[in-house]
Amino acid sequence: MDERTLIKKLNKQSRDALDQAVSRYTPYVSAVILRAMAGRACREDVEELCADVFVALWTHADTLDPEQGIRPWLAVVAKNKATDRLRSLRPSGPIPEDVPDPSPGPEELAQRRDQSARLWAAVDALDEPDRTLFVRYYYEGDKLRTVAAELGLSQTAAKQRLFRGRKALKAALQEGAETR
Amino acid sequence: MKNRLQELWKDVVPDCGPCPQPDVKKVQRRVDAVLDENRRAFHLRRKLKLAALCAAALVLLTGAAAVTEMVLAPPTYNVLSVFFRGDTAPWEGLMDFQPVSVSDDNYTLTVTSTVADRSTLFYTFTMEAHSDEAWEALQKQISESFYNLLSFRSHGSLSIGGGEDDPEARIMCMEVCTERGWGSSAAVRLNLMETGKWLSFSYRPVSDLKLTIGAEGQGTGGWAWPDLTGPVTLKRLTLSPLTIEAEYTTENTELFPVLWFLWEDGTVSEMESLLGGEGHGSGHGTVGEAWDYTRGYSFDSVQDLSTLEAVIFGGMAYPLDHGEPYAVDLSALPLRETEN
């Protein structure tokens, strides 16, 4: 189903279309959220905010314009929600210990946010076109072929940049960890 | 799609903990939970009767012999009357109406009735707060997210409704419809309660019957896409008094096989007219090719399969006694009048 058809179906309040939107655009929405929060979000934050964005998508489904595409709308809402979250970010309350999928405690959540923020900062510090390449390939889930073409790179060159970039990121993060 | 951020995370983050990349299924569950919560008003019509259940639960839960006396609660206030329309009294035998409770200083959690088939488990439960503070905490949590409030040991997707609650009695009623997993027991936990306070309960799945079809016919987009049609290959149907599940192949995710029920009296019902709540299901395949789907729906009212002669698909009737399929002319068969 192409994006235009998806929006038309969302206009008609199709839950299947919403499910497809969640499946297809969660990587993109999460990338926008991570970027807006400068990486200061752990998985639980991102999942919650992504869900908020898709609930908003459902609420406003009848106003979506098939000609405008869905990504710009998702990006604006995701950024707004991430900004709101940043303003209100505070440690979570105590979590019971025996739940089957135990939620992390406040310290663990803080540590995860810290790790995520450090990775994001390292990616954000990459020179172009590597930064865009990393964001779109790893965070937004775009195809390497597409990203490479839009950046004027061959796929081989893009792969080499990813390889070298990963080494640079690893080194930067290890250095950061040792000096902490 | 491979989780690329997960790969990057593992590769470059020292002492790597969980990657911040969200789990799409968890996002989906959160979305479903919120939207299902929003549907509470829609479902309220069916659930008004639960107010009386709460009142009965209050009387019984506050007594020392709460659990043993709960069976005296009026039989009309049960999981069948919550999820299915019409007179459910003839079907009480399908249901477990044996309340089970767990308590701590602040709350009592009680599963009040259950009914299940091969694919789906339905149950109702109540949450009673023992103090104003506990009641406030309960209301605060439920206003934020069901998943902050409850943990489930069950499989598949959850559709959680809300019955009537009684502020004076500090009791909240809930109902859950979930895909069943293996086994015949489930558990629910109120996260506000002490650790280890799981409420485990067993249930008896009602029997179902399977019909092998193996034929191509028409699919439809149903009420959401009434103009959408296309071919589907229906492999098998599983029917119970509560749900119908179809295994089929199609190129369009919105399509569901067009099915008709042929009753013993010679009348027919379009299956879609018999369906109630949201469906469940999954599909797998390759983009650009036909996908295999298993999709099920609960009926709007409990169906008496003993009066069902056959299921019609693609112009052929498939008898429930597994006799030879035979051709039927739908236009020559009278429609069954609906009761609701």
Side-chain angles (χ1 to χ4, degrees):
Chain A
M1 190 189 309
D2 62 28
E3 190 168 307
R4 203 159 168 268
T5 307
L6 184 70
I7 294 174
K8 283 185 176 177
K9 292 187 174 181
L10 282 169
N11 289 154
K12 292 186 180 178
Q13 295 277 298
S14 162
R15 278 291 286 268
D16 280 343
L18 179 68
D19 293 349
Q20 286 213 16
V22 172
S23 175
R24 191 185 298 182
Y25 295 110
T26 289
Y28 175 72
V29 171
S30 63
V32 174
I33 289 166
L34 283 166
R35 183 182 301 180
M37 296 182 73
R40 282 174 290 174
C42 61
R43 178 187 292 184
E44 290 78 6
D45 297 326
V46 179
E47 283 169 352
E48 192 174 341
L49 287 169
C50 281
D52 289 347
V53 171
F54 289 112
V55 169
L57 179 71
W58 180 251
T59 307
H60 297 89
D62 57 338
T63 66
L64 297 171
D65 182 354
E67 305 304 324
Q68 297 290 319
I70 201 168
R71 285 194 177 212
W73 193 95
L74 290 172
V76 169
V77 175
K79 191 176 176 187
N80 288 341
K81 297 220 176 265
T83 306
D84 289 345
R85 173 57 61 90
L86 264 184
R87 290 194 190 108
S88 63
L89 202 57
R90 61 182 186 275
S92 305
I95 304 291
E97 292 173 0
D98 77 328
V99 291
D101 297 311
S103 301
E107 284 183 16
E108 195 176 346
L109 281 172
Q111 187 183 13
R112 290 184 192 178
R113 288 192 185 106
D114 182 52
Q115 286 174 319
S116 174
R118 287 193 293 124
L119 176 59
W120 179 262
V123 170
D124 202 34
L126 291 171
D127 293 332
E128 292 292 0
D130 291 356
R131 180 183 175 282
T132 299
L133 183 62
F134 268 75
V135 169
R136 289 193 54 186
Y137 180 74
Y138 284 115
Y139 283 83
E140 297 183 7
D142 285 337
K143 288 179 180 171
L144 185 62
R145 183 176 62 236
T146 308
V147 184
E150 290 179 15
L151 292 173
L153 301 170
S154 67
Q155 279 197 67
T156 306
K159 282 180 186 173
Q160 285 174 346
R161 284 181 176 277
L162 289 176
F163 176 73
R164 285 201 298 266
R166 281 199 304 271
K167 284 181 72 174
L169 289 174
K170 192 172 183 177
L173 291 171
Q174 278 177 342
E175 187 180 344
E178 286 163 6
T179 56
R180 284 160 61 82
Chain B
M1 186 179 69
K2 284 195 300 185
N3 188 333
R4 298 183 191 143
L5 186 55
Q6 180 79 50
E7 292 173 4
L8 176 67
W9 185 262
K10 280 186 177 172
D11 196 20
V12 305
V13 176
D15 307 322
C16 89
C19 168
Q21 180 83 334
D23 181 336
V24 174
K25 287 180 182 172
K26 287 185 179 175
V27 174
Q28 184 73 63
R29 282 202 293 270
R30 282 177 183 269
V31 171
D32 289 343
V34 173
L35 297 183
D36 291 339
E37 188 176 358
N38 290 344
R39 278 207 304 272
R40 290 173 66 184
F42 173 79
H43 287 293
L44 205 56
R45 176 173 50 83
R46 295 185 188 185
K47 298 166 184 169
L48 289 173
K49 292 176 182 174
L50 275 176
L53 172 62
C54 294
L58 168 68
V59 171
L60 297 168
L61 284 170
T62 50
V67 171
T68 53
E69 291 183 27
M70 183 68 84
V71 292
L72 299 176
T76 49
Y77 304 126
N78 57 51
V79 66
L80 284 178
S81 67
V82 168
F83 285 101
F84 297 92
R85 289 208 288 183
D87 181 13
T88 57
W91 304 103
E92 281 176 19
L94 301 180
M95 182 177 55
D96 279 330
F97 202 52
Q98 196 81 27
V100 185
S101 296
V102 65
S103 297
D104 67 6
D105 290 343
N106 294 315
Y107 300 98
T108 295
L109 186 63
T110 304
V111 168
T112 51
S113 57
T114 66
V115 68
D117 63 9
R118 189 189 67 87
S119 67
T120 311
L121 164 66
F122 306 86
Y123 60 96
T124 56
F125 64 96
T126 62
M127 297 172 289
E128 184 203 8
H130 298 162
S131 67
D132 288 341
E133 293 75 21
W135 179 242
E136 276 181 28
L138 186 62
Q139 289 181 308
K140 181 174 184 299
Q141 287 266 327
I142 203 167
S143 68
E144 292 173 354
S145 166
F146 284 114
Y147 289 93
N148 288 344
L149 186 72
L150 301 163
S151 297
F152 299 92
R153 280 183 186 148
S154 55
H155 295 264
S157 61
L158 284 164
S159 170
I160 308 168
E164 292 292 277
D165 51 324
D166 183 345
E168 290 187 16
R170 298 193 301 236
I171 285 187
M172 207 173 273
C173 297
M174 304 276 289
E175 56 262 17
V176 174
C177 167
T178 175
E179 285 179 60
R180 262 194 64 204
W182 296 103
S184 55
S185 65
V188 60
R189 199 186 108 78
L190 177 60
N191 288 343
L192 292 166
M193 291 177 74
E194 290 172 14
T195 55
K197 293 288 184 182
W198 278 96
L199 178 54
S200 299
F201 58 98
S202 56
Y203 49 87
R204 296 172 294 121
V206 303
S207 58
D208 57 35
L209 61 92
K210 296 184 191 308
L211 270 182
T212 300
I213 307 291
E216 187 168 312
Q218 197 74 351
T220 175
W223 63 267
W225 309 105
D227 300 329
L228 180 65
T229 58
V232 300
T233 302
L234 179 57
K235 296 173 186 168
R236 192 161 63 164
L237 290 172
T238 304
L239 289 155
S240 87
L242 310 174
T243 69
I244 180 169
E245 190 174 81
E247 296 165 60
Y248 61 103
T249 305
T250 181
E251 291 184 358
N252 193 320
T253 182
E254 273 76 31
L255 292 177
F256 190 84
V258 177
L259 300 168
W260 290 76
F261 282 3
L262 173 59
W263 303 97
E264 277 184 340
D265 62 4
T267 61
V268 290
S269 304
E270 189 174 13
M271 193 205 67
E272 196 183 338
S273 69
L274 303 175
L275 300 182
E278 288 282 322
H280 66 267
S282 60
H284 62 273
T286 304
V287 173
E289 297 176 6
W291 279 37
D292 293 325
Y293 289 95
T294 300
R295 190 168 285 170
Y297 293 92
S298 56
F299 290 118
D300 189 48
S301 56
V302 181
Q303 297 298 312
D304 183 358
L305 298 184
S306 69
T307 63
L308 183 61
E309 172 76 24
V311 177
I312 300 171
F313 175 69
M316 299 290 287
Y318 296 84
L320 263 62
D321 63 6
H322 302 288
E324 280 299 307
Y326 54 93
V328 291
D329 179 5
L330 261 178
S331 63
L333 297 171
L335 273 176
R336 188 185 224 197
E337 289 188 16
T338 55
E339 294 173 1
N340 297 305

